[in-house]
Amino acid sequence: MNEKKKRWLTACGAPSLLAASIAALSSPTFAEDALLEEVITIGTRVEGRSATDSSAPIDIVTGEEFVNQGDGDLSNLLRNVVPSYNVNAKPISDAASIVRPANLRGLPPDSTLVLVNGKRRHRAAVISFLGSGVSDGAQGPDISAIPAIALKQVEVLRDGAAAQYGSDAIAGVINFQLKDAAEGGTVEAKYATTAEGDGDQSTIAANFGLPLTDSGFVNVSLEYREQDSTSRSVQRDDAAQLIADGNTYVANPAQIWGQPEVNDDTKFFVNSAIEINDTAELYAFGNYASRSTDGGFYFRNPENRSGVFTYEEKTDVNGNGVIDDDEVFIHPLIGDLDPSNGIDDCQNVSVSEAHDLEECFSYTEIFPGGFTPRFGGDLEDYSVVFGMRGEFANGIGYDVSASRGHNEVDFNIYNTVNATLGPDTPTEFSPGGYAQTETNFNIDLTKSTEVAGLPLFMATGFEWREEEFEVKQGDTASWQIGDLAEQGFLIGSNGFSGFGPETVGTFDRDNIAIYSDFELEVNDDLRLGAALRWEDFSDFGDTFNYKLSGHYTINDAIALRSTWSTGFRAPTPAQSNISNVTTAFTNGQLENKGTIPPTNPIAQLRGGTQLQPEESDSFTLGAIFSAGDWEITIDYFQISVDDRITQSADQLLTDDERAQLVADGISGADSLTFFRFYTNDFDTKTRGVDVVATYPVGDATDLSFAWNWTDTEVTDFREETISDMRLRQLEDGLPNVRGNATFNHTGDNWRGLVRLNYYGSYWEAHLDDYSLPIDAGDEFTVDIEAAYDFNDSMTLIAGAENIFNNYPDKNPWSGVAGAEYPETAPMGFNGALYYVRAQYEF
């Protein structure tokens, strides 16, 4: 293939599909000779740049680094190799347990732009209402829908890049490059289990390439996975007391903290391209994924769970102007009392009497030991991208593409009740769901020229994008207002109220963007860059952003690089319009907590307004050192974000406001004490340092080090909408320091890996309760893996993550809700994971 053809295949910033596949057909040693893992496709639109040539820091993770791990969730795999990327288990976190929020460089998940083959990936439908502070209210992408076996490499751009790629690229950009081989393949089977003997994972995966005529390829990846749940729980104090008092129906433990059960986790990706003439190719790629998740919720105590087993009369029954203690009712009245029973009402009737009287009903007749709802959802994700790229006769490169992505979750909750329905309540509900759909159209143009004899690379482009967010109605029983609502019992499926007809709908937004990008080679040592981007959104207006960059080579051993940029993140249609009721701990009690749109009149009384985009300023300064065999990069970064979009602090509802929310059709609003709304609430400054080093010990042995320090400071906020707890979560909820050191050795027919991981200290408001603080210490874990090649095709691999079965510090408040360890532990709390894997290549 001539050099001109190779140039236009990557000219528009997307990975070269045909260049790799055709070369692979012609040369069996192509992958070794081309050193593809050193070539980047993000952060610049110039072909052939390496990570060390880039003006911005970029981590490159090969596909093998993902496959050679024990876990099956791509978010966990990325966390293990990129220290600035954090994700934790998220037990009992509503929909956040289905799509876990992840944080790059200390910022929420929707501040990181995700690309696949250089094209924008759609965000997930799930909103993280319970996001441990940092991720509260975030709506990021679901990268766990991508099978690890499909990846050729992953590039993590640790720099603000909204001027290049648009909204969300404040913390950085992650680009997943798909495999593009036109022949050969891999099949593997993996089994993993924890040291406790639970949490079993079984995975079968395959990847294979096929030629598409003589000038193209189709590369297909599949994965099927099952994951059992884990439990790292102790018995709650209140449940233990119930058992001690003689209630033998209470489960032990009454509430489970652990990873959820995941069933039928199916992933499919296809990547393809075909050359249509000497200067153009057609390409297409897409995916389909689905899975079912089942997790736990909070325990409902049969003696004191208000609104279910007990309730308070909202009116002054005694007529003395106050609500007296004797106006607390224990059992609902469901019929006319027989006066011969000597009882005037169901007030303070014992459980046994309620069971004997047909007119008095107790939910202990259904759940004598209380109940713990089980919550989960069925997720479906699919996308398709197709386009054409090439080069005109005048040397202008082009890439025209269109894409559509869809993510949908249908929630389910069982082992619970709609307390207003009395004995007629079902115990399983389908409370509705969310769906996110995004459509993109892009035109990218590139041109290499000279200015005053200096090489200049130019790029410009246009983008149109539409986002749709849909709230889908739940089954009637999940939001129905039953007869017992008048007696104070809770409306809707308890734990996660269904979406009624008044709250469902589709909310959309579209935008257009125009960008320009320039890179000038001043001389052999100095390169300067600039990018400009204008976008206009249908809901809040336009925004303009820019980026400046430079790379200077001092000598063969030292080079400097730096960037300065402005950026933005647009509020999602979901954040601007969502209504939701969830159950969470508030001031030591289990309370229903609501989220209403910021434009709701009740929210406006507390300062709610139409959401505006976040705005950011980013700065990086780094150095690249080559000292003998050592390759070292050190990069400082600072990200200032103004008007960050988040959920407000809890706002106390008045009775009139509560009644208005019920009238608005928000299921479960009758039980709300507090509500929240999305707001442009506060400003932050995040600073940090990343250090990456590699050293070849010999021909077959490599050492690598990666270390990250990140510190976030809240620089401005409104006291009426952000709490002291939230401030502490934002500043200390993630470890300031993370790092790893990896030792790799390859023999004739075997290889070995040892990785030391470090997780710094962090702070947790347990159960999102400021009165339950946890100051957790730092931790080390060790991962190992060994592989033996029986022949050129068959390999057996065995390994362990956290081989010494280390756990985070114990939770000092474990008796409150049963969590043995801090729920936000960055290393997880499952302990060791042991695995074996068989791999066959052809």
Side-chain angles (χ1 to χ4, degrees):
M1 181 180 293
N2 61 51
E3 289 303 314
K4 181 178 181 181
K5 180 183 265 188
K6 290 180 181 178
R7 184 171 63 252
W8 63 254
L9 281 170
T10 54
C12 296
S16 173
L17 302 176
L18 284 178
S21 60
I22 294 173
L25 285 173
S26 60
S27 171
T29 60
F30 174 77
E32 298 177 7
D33 296 338
L35 296 176
L36 287 178
E37 67 274 11
E38 295 297 329
V39 178
I40 59 173
T41 62
I42 60 171
T44 178
R45 286 185 165 86
V46 180
E47 60 158 306
R49 290 263 190 262
S50 69
T52 53
D53 287 335
S54 171
S55 298
I58 298 176
D59 295 321
I60 296 180
V61 185
T62 65
E64 287 187 353
E65 291 181 74
F66 288 101
V67 173
N68 295 335
Q69 296 189 53
D71 207 294
D73 188 300
L74 190 59
S75 288
N76 292 342
L77 304 181
L78 188 59
R79 174 195 64 194
N80 293 344
V81 294
V82 179
S84 58
Y85 184 89
N86 285 279
V87 65
N88 50 45
K90 301 306 298 177
I92 313 182
S93 298
D94 274 8
S97 298
I98 299 172
V99 178
R100 295 178 300 146
N103 312 102
L104 181 67
R105 300 204 295 171
L107 294 174
D110 45 13
S111 291
T112 299
L113 177 62
V114 172
L115 311 175
V116 175
N117 278 357
K119 304 298 182 182
R120 177 183 285 264
R121 173 89 175 156
H122 58 278
R123 70 179 81 249
V126 163
I127 302 169
S128 303
F129 289 109
L130 302 177
S132 305
V134 178
S135 300
D136 280 0
Q139 186 187 5
D142 178 17
I143 70 169
S144 63
I146 304 173
I149 201 170
L151 299 175
K152 182 169 72 174
Q153 73 176 32
V154 176
E155 300 155 303
V156 181
L157 172 62
R158 293 181 273 108
D159 187 30
Q164 296 168 290
Y165 299 105
S167 177
D168 305 346
I170 289 180
V173 181
I174 303 176
N175 182 38
F176 295 89
Q177 281 197 51
L178 302 175
K179 290 179 179 177
D180 50 20
E183 65 176 5
T186 302
V187 177
E188 67 174 40
K190 179 168 59 178
Y191 174 78
T193 189
T194 69
E196 295 290 327
D198 59 3
D200 293 1
Q201 298 183 38
S202 301
T203 306
I204 298 175
N207 169 268
F208 59 89
L210 299 170
L212 186 61
T213 74
D214 293 334
S215 56
F217 73 91
V218 176
N219 192 275
V220 178
S221 300
L222 308 98
E223 180 181 294
Y224 181 82
R225 176 173 170 262
E226 296 277 347
Q227 173 184 286
D228 290 346
S229 62
T230 63
S231 176
R232 302 296 178 267
S233 316
V234 298
Q235 184 63 292
R236 293 168 50 125
D237 291 343
D238 59 345
Q241 187 61 52
L242 288 170
I243 295 173
D245 292 341
N247 191 331
T248 60
Y249 296 98
V250 178
N252 188 8
Q255 181 176 322
I256 294 176
W257 293 86
Q259 74 181 20
E261 180 180 339
V262 180
N263 295 311
D264 298 325
D265 189 1
T266 305
K267 306 169 189 177
F268 170 81
F269 245 105
V270 61
N271 188 26
S272 64
I274 185 170
E275 183 179 326
I276 57 177
N277 57 44
D278 288 342
T279 58
E281 71 172 4
L282 295 174
Y283 62 90
F285 57 91
N287 84 290
Y288 175 82
S290 64
R291 65 177 181 268
S292 297
T293 304
D294 181 72
F297 258 23
Y298 290 102
F299 173 62
R300 271 65 174 167
N301 189 308
E303 293 188 351
N304 58 27
R305 176 53 178 138
S306 177
V308 180
F309 294 102
T310 67
Y311 68 91
E312 294 183 8
E313 177 60 62
K314 300 301 181 184
T315 60
D316 179 18
V317 176
N318 293 337
N320 60 359
V322 296
I323 306 297
D324 298 325
D325 290 341
D326 63 353
E327 290 168 323
V328 176
F329 288 68
I330 295 181
H331 302 292
L333 175 66
I334 60 174
D336 296 327
L337 283 167
D338 183 351
S340 65
N341 291 327
I343 298 176
D344 296 329
D345 53 36
C346 295
Q347 177 181 351
N348 292 326
V349 171
S350 68
V351 172
S352 61
E353 287 176 317
H355 288 186
D356 293 337
L357 295 171
E358 293 183 0
E359 302 90 340
C360 296
F361 172 74
S362 171
Y363 282 103
T364 56
E365 297 177 32
I366 302 175
F367 296 110
F371 63 92
T372 303
R374 297 289 297 178
F375 176 80
D378 297 323
L379 180 143
E380 186 177 49
D381 182 282
Y382 57 83
S383 67
V384 60
V385 180
F386 59 90
M388 178 177 176
R389 61 183 164 214
E391 186 179 274
F392 295 118
N394 59 5
I396 295 178
Y398 64 88
D399 185 345
V400 181
S401 65
S403 66
R404 188 171 179 86
H406 181 84
N407 186 275
E408 182 173 352
V409 179
D410 292 315
F411 301 117
N412 57 72
I413 187 168
Y414 63 97
N415 203 52
T416 187
V417 298
N418 179 340
T420 68
L421 300 180
D424 296 327
T425 180
T427 57
E428 297 182 14
F429 304 86
S430 298
Y434 297 143
Q436 174 81 13
T437 303
E438 299 182 26
T439 306
N440 294 270
F441 176 75
N442 294 83
I443 300 175
D444 300 297
L445 303 173
T446 60
K447 174 68 175 177
S448 294
T449 186
E450 290 188 355
V451 175
L454 302 177
L456 175 67
F457 187 88
M458 301 180 296
T460 189
F462 168 84
E463 179 180 57
W464 173 84
R465 181 158 50 97
E466 181 184 60
E467 291 187 60
E468 296 178 352
F469 180 79
E470 180 186 4
V471 181
K472 301 190 296 179
Q473 185 170 325
D475 61 32
T476 301
S478 70
W479 51 266
Q480 183 178 1
I481 303 176
D483 294 339
L484 299 183
E486 296 181 357
Q487 300 183 39
F489 281 79
L490 301 182
I491 300 171
S493 44
N494 192 263
F496 192 95
S497 296
F499 306 128
E502 292 86 357
T503 57
V504 302
T506 299
F507 312 98
D508 58 15
R509 192 229 355 249
D510 61 79
N511 68 285
I512 59 172
I514 300 172
Y515 78 86
S516 295
D517 203 334
F518 307 91
E519 289 194 30
L520 178 67
E521 300 281 353
V522 179
N523 53 45
D524 291 341
D525 299 323
L526 178 63
R527 181 175 66 255
L528 302 175
L532 307 171
R533 190 180 185 97
W534 172 84
E535 295 205 33
D536 185 68
F537 290 79
S538 60
D539 52 354
F540 64 79
D542 61 355
T543 180
F544 177 80
N545 294 276
Y546 66 89
K547 182 173 185 175
L548 303 174
S549 62
H551 185 284
Y552 179 64
T553 302
I554 297 176
N555 52 43
D556 291 342
I558 303 174
L560 302 177
R561 59 188 179 191
S562 183
T563 66
W564 171 268
S565 65
T566 63
F568 75 104
R569 184 182 78 78
T572 72
Q575 292 169 336
S576 296
N577 297 281
I578 194 68
S579 298
N580 173 270
V581 175
T582 189
T583 304
F585 260 81
T586 303
N587 298 323
Q589 299 293 325
L590 201 56
E591 301 277 2
N592 279 7
K593 184 179 295 187
T595 299
I596 61 177
T599 52
N600 185 291
I602 295 175
Q604 290 179 326
L605 290 174
R606 307 299 206 284
T609 60
Q610 171 68 47
L611 293 178
Q612 298 297 312
E614 300 177 350
E615 297 181 347
S616 67
D617 294 318
S618 297
F619 171 71
T620 67
L621 176 63
I624 305 158
F625 301 96
S626 295
D629 292 330
W630 282 96
E631 295 287 341
I632 303 170
T633 63
I634 302 174
D635 293 277
Y636 169 83
F637 67 87
Q638 178 174 297
I639 310 168
S640 297
V641 187
D642 295 338
D643 299 325
R644 278 183 60 168
I645 299 168
T646 187
Q647 289 179 304
S648 71
D650 292 339
Q651 307 292 307
L652 186 65
L653 274 170
T654 67
D655 289 340
D656 289 342
E657 290 171 338
R658 187 181 300 106
Q660 183 58 54
L661 293 179
V662 172
D664 291 340
I666 299 177
S667 177
D670 63 308
S671 64
L672 292 180
T673 304
F674 301 97
F675 75 95
R676 298 181 293 180
F677 56 91
Y678 281 92
T679 178
N680 295 98
D681 199 46
F682 59 96
D683 303 340
T684 60
K685 179 184 291 184
T686 300
R687 297 172 294 173
V689 176
D690 288 288
V691 179
V692 178
T694 59
Y695 179 74
V697 178
D699 293 337
T701 305
D702 292 302
L703 286 174
S704 62
F705 304 88
W707 179 85
N708 167 262
W709 168 75
T710 299
D711 178 74
T712 294
E713 176 188 1
V714 178
T715 56
D716 191 25
F717 63 94
R718 291 187 293 163
E719 292 184 1
E720 64 271 21
T721 55
I722 190 169
S723 65
D724 291 340
M725 180 190 74
R726 186 71 191 285
L727 290 174
R728 186 77 190 275
Q729 287 176 317
L730 289 164
E731 295 184 337
D732 300 322
L734 296 173
N736 288 91
V737 178
R738 277 200 55 206
N740 61 58
T742 305
F743 174 89
N744 268 298
H745 180 78
T746 302
D748 292 337
N749 56 359
W750 69 278
R751 61 175 176 80
L753 174 148
V754 178
R755 180 187 298 114
L756 175 66
N757 307 291
Y758 175 75
Y759 301 87
S761 59
Y762 60 98
W763 182 87
E764 174 180 305
H766 189 53
L767 308 176
D768 273 348
D769 191 329
Y770 199 39
S771 67
L772 304 176
I774 301 176
D775 287 295
D778 56 352
E779 300 288 347
F780 287 93
T781 65
V782 177
D783 306 332
I784 65 167
E785 181 175 278
Y788 181 79
D789 299 327
F790 290 93
N791 50 47
D792 291 341
S793 299
M794 189 69 191
T795 303
L796 183 65
I797 304 103
E801 295 181 1
N802 187 8
I803 188 172
F804 298 116
N805 199 30
N806 188 26
Y807 282 93
D809 292 345
K810 290 277 190 175
N811 174 15
W813 315 104
S814 59
V816 176
E820 187 173 4
Y821 303 101
E823 57 181 305
T824 62
M827 61 179 283
F829 52 71
N830 282 331
L833 181 73
Y834 306 121
Y835 62 93
V836 292
R837 188 170 87 247
Q839 184 181 78
Y840 181 80
E841 296 183 351
F842 57 93

